Amino acid sequence: MAIQKNSSFRNLDSKGALYLVPTPIGNLKDMSPRAVETLKQVNLIAAEDTRNTQKLLNYFDIKTKQISFHKFNTKERIPELIQKLNNGQDIAQVSDAGTPSISDPGHELVESCIKNEIRVIAIPGPSASITALIASGILPQPFIFYGFLPRKKSEQINELEKLNGQEYTQVYYEAPHRLKKTLENMVTVFGEKRKVVLCRELTKRYEEYIRGNLQEALEWSTNEDVRGEFVIVVQGNEKCENEIQDVQCKLTIKEQVQRLIDQQGIKPNAAIKIVAKNNNLKKQEVYNEFHGLR
Ligand code: SAM
């Protein structure tokens, strides 16, 4: 067991501390006074994109030096940052927007600081995930934060199938040009009727919440010129009888397929595929059983 005490008195040990500093996700007024003060006081800011962060620093009149720290140089940078921290320098880590480590660089640096007994101090602040969740109107807890799904269709479907029985609210990040495809896959796996909220351009001028079911959201994304940043909040699987329980409850194969079609609006072939997977059967066997072909 290891206990980290974050005394508010600085320089208690000879090592510096790592400060995790969230930055606005669109509205500069969301930068907290403590975040500004921390960025002013540290010796160095490790930033995902120094040019982008420089604009923020200029706005708040922060003169601290920066060093780049992003997913492509994480491995090389960490030893260098750890050395500086060991030598007594305080370092703040920031990403381009929102909270570091949340679908952004940071986690490996935190791990490394913990290993090296360097204090890690998180400053609370903006994150698109929590902002979307609390305004979505979908039950805010329990929830799981997923972040970005895999891009490749087969991998994404696979991941969604694992999540389909999940009763907790789910929070996803998605890029605008992939939104439609992701919603298509969600309809295929979760069915048409699951509640969803597309939370767009949070804290910005064109902030929008698009509320409905998955089929309606898919239609919206098909008809619109989809732009901006999105968080997708999906309701958990509300039914007590989810697919995992279907097997445990000993529903027949035919009943399992029928339930997915009736209660979740899933198309017959997709339902057959899910039931085959859950029961370790071949699709053809489930097809035959469902259609009474044997
Ligand atoms: N670390 C950030 C955080 O704490 O929210 C997330 C960074 S991740 C690279 C960027 C993704 O977050 C976007 O693709 C989008 O899904 C989501 N996002 C960031 N800002 C947003 C905003 N203003 N409105 C909606 N979604 C946003």
Side-chain angles (χ1 to χ4, degrees), residues 20-260:
L20 308 172
V21 181
T23 55
I25 55 168
N27 188 330
L28 284 175
K29 290 184 186 147
D30 293 332
M31 186 78 179
S32 78
R34 187 177 174 209
V36 173
E37 189 187 88
T38 304
L39 294 184
K40 281 187 175 167
Q41 285 179 353
V42 293
N43 302 97
L44 188 64
I45 298 169
E48 187 179 7
D49 178 340
T50 52
R51 271 195 295 180
N52 183 55
T53 298
Q54 193 56 50
K55 292 181 206 147
L56 184 82
L57 301 189
N58 292 346
Y59 185 87
F60 289 102
D61 197 25
I62 298 167
K63 306 273 193 275
T64 313
K65 268 199 194 151
Q66 296 191 68
I67 186 170
S68 74
F69 178 70
H70 46 70
K71 64 177 173 186
F72 303 109
N73 71 1
T74 299
K75 268 206 180 127
E76 306 93 85
R77 271 288 191 254
I78 286 180
E80 200 181 329
L81 295 175
I82 294 292
Q83 195 182 21
K84 290 182 194 297
L85 288 156
N86 272 330
N87 290 341
Q89 293 200 28
D90 286 331
I91 299 180
Q93 191 233 329
V94 299
S95 63
D96 274 355
T99 298
S101 283
I102 298 298
S103 294
D104 262 340
H107 173 63
E108 291 92 340
L109 179 59
V110 170
E111 267 188 324
S112 199
C113 284
I114 293 168
K115 250 190 225 148
N116 286 278
E117 297 181 344
I118 290 163
R119 286 175 301 147
V120 177
I121 300 167
I123 313 285
S127 177
S129 55
I130 296 288
T131 310
L133 179 68
I134 59 172
S136 67
I138 292 184
L139 198 67
Q141 65 266 316
F143 79 95
I144 60 160
F145 170 69
Y146 190 92
F148 291 99
L149 283 159
R151 292 179 191 188
K152 212 172 146 200
K153 182 172 176 178
S154 59
E155 287 170 21
Q156 188 173 108
I157 293 262
N158 219 356
E159 212 47 29
L160 290 171
E161 281 172 353
K162 282 195 232 156
L163 291 156
N164 188 27
Q166 181 57 256
E167 289 172 32
Y168 302 163
T169 297
Q170 296 152 39
V171 180
Y172 300 91
Y173 284 164
E174 194 49 287
H177 61 282
R178 283 197 294 270
L179 184 75
K180 182 170 169 267
K181 289 229 151 72
T182 296
L183 290 171
E184 268 168 15
N185 294 337
M186 285 182 171
V187 167
T188 305
V189 179
F190 295 164
E192 297 177 349
K193 306 219 170 99
R194 192 87 74 93
K195 247 200 216 171
V196 65
V197 183
L198 306 178
C199 310
R200 178 174 171 265
E201 292 287 88
L202 297 170
T203 78
K204 302 188 203 176
R205 185 167 175 192
Y206 297 107
E207 175 173 293
E208 237 178 344
Y209 292 90
I210 298 125
R211 299 187 170 93
N213 65 31
L214 277 170
Q215 179 59 29
E216 289 164 339
L218 175 59
E219 279 160 25
W220 178 88
S221 72
T222 308
N223 300 329
E224 291 287 319
D225 175 18
V226 178
R227 281 171 197 225
E229 298 196 275
F230 285 87
V231 179
I232 311 174
V233 183
V234 184
Q235 184 181 39
N237 193 335
E238 267 203 317
K239 311 278 179 300
C240 295
E241 322 90 75
N242 59 44
E243 292 83 89
I244 295 153
Q245 287 170 340
D246 281 354
V247 183
Q248 286 162 358
C249 294
K250 305 214 176 350
L251 291 189
T252 65
I253 296 296
K254 192 171 175 172
E255 285 168 341
Q256 289 180 42
V257 177
Q258 197 61 54
R259 193 191 63 72
L260 285 175

